């Protein structure tokens, strides 16, 4: 979809929201809380942004973007070059952070990770009989925390500024949660790791996390054997070397292939597989999707036994 920027607003220090709509006034695809859209900026860079505007407005999408100074430039482009009136390519909503029914919820947002959590809390609070929920929003200081005004209108949100009160006490939050509670967390990598670690001790709670950035790891291990990949639409075959990804090999012959995180967590490079056995190296797909052997994230997943893969590219 080509969508026009109709509004930009400073939501907090380093965070701007962007409202997008179709020039012809067409309805945009519906979305559920937790969904994000891939946005292709004028430089050709693709980045994902969680939808965080009102869901009862079928004609507009709202995203909010934190400026990442040490990043690869996507957020800098949004902050420095994107202007009201510009038209950008926006893909359909994708949801890997679905809000599932539960008797109670614990929401933990850190920094810009508030975007999908805000949409979830607003949706639940709009219900006639909202389920019990605890909402905790941590940030460095108030001036850098977006959407405090919207969250304040929802009531009962615990805002924890690191500068004043330190970090949210995750152990206490989990200990207080009733059995069956679904825990949703989106925030910086350290927060997600801590939530997963604490959550491991509570098998009666379900933990759902959304990752915005890559996990910092030791250098990637050597990937393993080389194999061939055929691009079905052109018939071209490329060889994927031991230490390169399918994406790297595909980009050599199809430079317009979409990708973003290159680490298996955003879904931008998901590609249909027409033949061959996939070695999935991501947690993004459901068990059914993995077993169907029909789609893969080409930035990290590989061929399972060194056999040829045929991709719908
Ligand atoms: C599902 C999803 C939803 C998202 N929603 C939002 C949102 O609502 N708002 C928002 O502002 N952002 C969101 N993001 C993040 C967004 O897509 C961009 O990553 C972000 O804007 C930064 O882009 P960039 O090009 O400026 O920096 P990037 O290069 O993408 O870098 C982001 C951070 O990751 C680090 N990093 C990059 N590559 C690696 C690596 N290989 N290993 C370790 N660290 C690395 C960088 O140092 C930086 O701190 C979302 C991402 C995903 C996957
Ligand atoms: S580029 Fe993000 S999953 Fe492959």
């Amino acid at each position: 979809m080509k969508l026009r920027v109709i509004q930009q607003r400073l939501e907090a220090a380093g965070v701007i929201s962007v409202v997008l709509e179709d020039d012809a006034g067409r309805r945009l695809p519906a979305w559920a809380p937790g969904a994000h859209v891939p946005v292709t900026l004028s430089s050709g860079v693709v980045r994902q942004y969680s939808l965080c505007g009102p869901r009862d407005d079928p004609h507009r999408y709202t995203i909010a973007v934190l400026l990442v100074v040490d990043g690869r430039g996507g957020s800098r482009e949004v902050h420095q070059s994107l202007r009201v009136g510009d038209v950008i390519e926006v893909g359909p909503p994708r949801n890997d952070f679905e809000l599932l029914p539960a008797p109670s919820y614990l929401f933990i947002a850190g920094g810009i990770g508030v975007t999908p959590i805000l949409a979830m809390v607003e949706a639940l609070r709009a219900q006639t009989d909202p389920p019990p929920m605890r909402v905790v929003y941590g940030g460095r200081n108030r001036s850098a925390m977006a959407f405090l005004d919207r969250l304040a209108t929802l009531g009962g949100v615990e805002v924890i500024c690191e500068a004043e009160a330190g970090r949210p006490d995750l152990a206490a939050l989990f200990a207080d949660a009733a059995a069956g509670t679904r825990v949703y967390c989106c925030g910086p990598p350290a927060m997600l790791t801590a939530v997963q670690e604490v959550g491991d001790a509570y098998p009666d709670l379900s933990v759902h996390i959304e990752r915005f950035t890559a996990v910092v790891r030791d250098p990637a291990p050597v990937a393993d054997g080389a194999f061939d990949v055929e691009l079905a639409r052109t018939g071209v075959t490329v060889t994927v070397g031991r230490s390169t990804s399918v994406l790297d090999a595909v980009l050599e012959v199809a430079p317009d292939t979409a990708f973003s995180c290159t680490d298996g967590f955003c879904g931008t490079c998901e590609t249909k597989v027409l033949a061959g056995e996939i070695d999935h190296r991501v947690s993004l797909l459901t068990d059914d999707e993995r077993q169907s052997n029909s789609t893969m994230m080409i930035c990290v997943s590989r061929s399972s036994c060194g056999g040829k893969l045929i991709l719908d590219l």
Side-chain angles (χ1 to χ4, degrees):
M1 299 172 275
K2 298 266 183 224
L3 300 184
R4 192 172 296 280
V5 177
I6 59 156
Q7 184 189 302
Q8 282 180 313
R9 202 180 111 154
L10 189 67
E11 300 289 352
V15 179
I16 53 171
S17 61
V18 179
V19 182
L20 299 153
E21 74 174 12
D22 179 272
D23 271 348
R26 277 183 286 260
R27 293 170 76 93
L28 305 180
W31 57 282
H36 67 271
V37 286
V39 171
T40 307
L41 300 166
S42 343
S43 62
V45 157
V46 180
R47 292 290 178 269
Q48 291 69 33
Y49 294 104
S50 303
L51 292 168
C52 57
R55 269 197 324 123
D56 56 3
D57 182 350
H59 296 103
R60 287 173 200 90
Y61 284 161
T62 301
I63 57 172
V65 180
L66 169 72
L67 175 63
V68 178
V69 178
D70 65 348
R72 292 164 296 169
S75 64
R76 227 178 5 255
E77 188 173 342
V78 172
H79 276 251
Q80 293 175 358
S81 314
L82 192 67
R83 293 288 173 261
V84 170
D86 289 354
V87 172
I88 50 175
E89 178 72 31
V90 178
R94 174 187 172 103
N95 202 338
D96 304 308
F97 195 42
E98 223 179 317
L99 181 61
L100 298 170
S104 55
Y105 295 91
L106 168 60
F107 294 102
I108 306 171
I112 192 63
V114 71
T115 46
I117 301 284
L118 174 65
M120 290 180 175
V121 177
E122 283 186 341
L124 290 174
R125 287 275 164 83
Q127 291 179 2
T128 356
D129 190 12
M133 70 187 87
R134 187 160 178 194
V135 186
V136 177
Y137 177 19
R140 275 183 329 243
N141 52 58
R142 281 188 170 263
S143 64
M145 295 174 75
F147 303 123
L148 287 173
D149 48 351
R150 266 169 71 186
L151 286 164
T153 64
L154 297 172
V157 177
E158 298 165 53
V159 175
I160 302 181
C161 304
E162 201 170 330
E164 297 157 16
R167 294 183 176 170
D169 183 347
L170 299 176
L173 291 173
F174 273 80
D176 285 351
T181 297
R182 284 193 188 275
V183 183
Y184 283 85
C185 178
C186 185
M191 176 186 252
L192 300 181
T193 306
V195 161
Q196 277 178 318
E197 279 171 10
V198 177
D200 283 348
Y202 292 87
D204 54 342
L205 310 181
S206 327
V207 178
H208 307 258
I209 64 163
E210 174 93 310
R211 196 169 285 289
F212 280 4
T213 58
V215 183
V216 180
R217 299 195 195 99
D218 294 334
V222 173
D224 57 23
F227 56 95
D228 283 345
V229 167
E230 182 181 324
L231 282 62
R233 295 187 207 171
T234 53
V236 173
T237 294
V238 289
T239 299
V240 179
R242 277 171 55 84
S243 53
T244 53
S245 65
V246 174
L247 175 66
D248 290 333
V250 166
L251 285 172
E252 295 280 325
V253 291
D256 290 338
T257 306
F259 68 94
S260 180
C261 72
T262 67
D263 204 35
F265 65 87
C266 77
T268 308
C269 69
E270 184 170 3
T271 302
K272 258 199 217 161
V273 178
L274 304 175
E277 290 297 317
I278 308 158
D279 173 6
H280 290 292
R281 299 188 175 194
V282 292
S283 54
L284 206 53
L285 299 173
T286 62
D287 286 347
D288 285 350
E289 284 168 332
R290 285 156 175 273
Q291 275 155 21
S292 74
N293 196 58
S294 59
T295 182
M296 72 187 278
M297 305 301 160
I298 59 172
C299 63
V300 286
S301 296
R302 300 179 67 82
S303 149
S304 86
C305 307
K308 183 176 182 178
L309 293 174
I310 304 182
L311 303 182
D312 184 17
L313 280 175

